[in-house]
Amino acid sequence: MALNIKDPETEKAVRLLARRRGLSLTEAVRMAVRSELGKEELSEDEKARRVAAAHERMAEFYKKYNIKPAKRSMTKEEMDDIIGYDENGMW
């Protein structure tokens, strides 16, 4: 069965994900949908446990390398710029 995406923003996002990951459009959509469905399957306790574990790992990392945590989080655009992503994928 075919899927026809008529929203330009959605099409652009799927194409960008596919390009960044080296996937076909179908694989990019499949991966994104499975990822989102997988998030829903986690219980609230499991989500909280994972977040707490991540915070603990970051605290250990900060302590090990004597780093002070940032006062604010970077935006997605700032992270993409550091990694080297632009609207066409990696540059």
Side-chain angles (χ1 to χ4, degrees):
M1 173 180 258
L3 178 67
N4 186 4
I5 298 173
K6 295 181 180 180
D7 176 53
E9 182 180 346
T10 301
E11 180 185 0
K12 183 179 177 183
V14 172
R15 289 185 184 282
L16 178 59
L17 178 62
R19 223 178 359 260
R20 286 184 180 178
R21 301 286 166 84
L23 303 171
S24 70
L25 296 177
T26 300
E27 291 169 325
V29 171
R30 181 185 308 116
M31 183 185 78
V33 170
R34 284 185 177 164
S35 175
E36 286 303 306
L37 290 173
K39 289 176 188 176
E40 290 179 358
E41 293 173 2
L42 296 177
S43 70
E44 291 305 314
D45 287 342
E46 178 61 13
K47 289 177 189 176
R49 187 196 68 72
R50 289 183 182 195
V51 168
H55 283 272
E56 187 176 316
R57 286 191 306 273
M58 289 305 299
E60 291 169 4
F61 179 83
Y62 289 155
K63 184 176 180 181
K64 179 178 180 179
Y65 294 101
N66 195 27
I67 298 171
K68 293 181 182 177
K71 297 194 187 302
R72 69 170 184 85
S73 296
M74 284 191 288
T75 65
K76 181 183 180 325
E77 290 76 22
E78 290 170 327
M79 287 185 263
D80 284 351
D81 189 48
I82 289 170
I83 294 169
Y85 287 140
D86 64 10
E87 64 277 357
N88 299 311
M90 298 213 39
W91 43 268

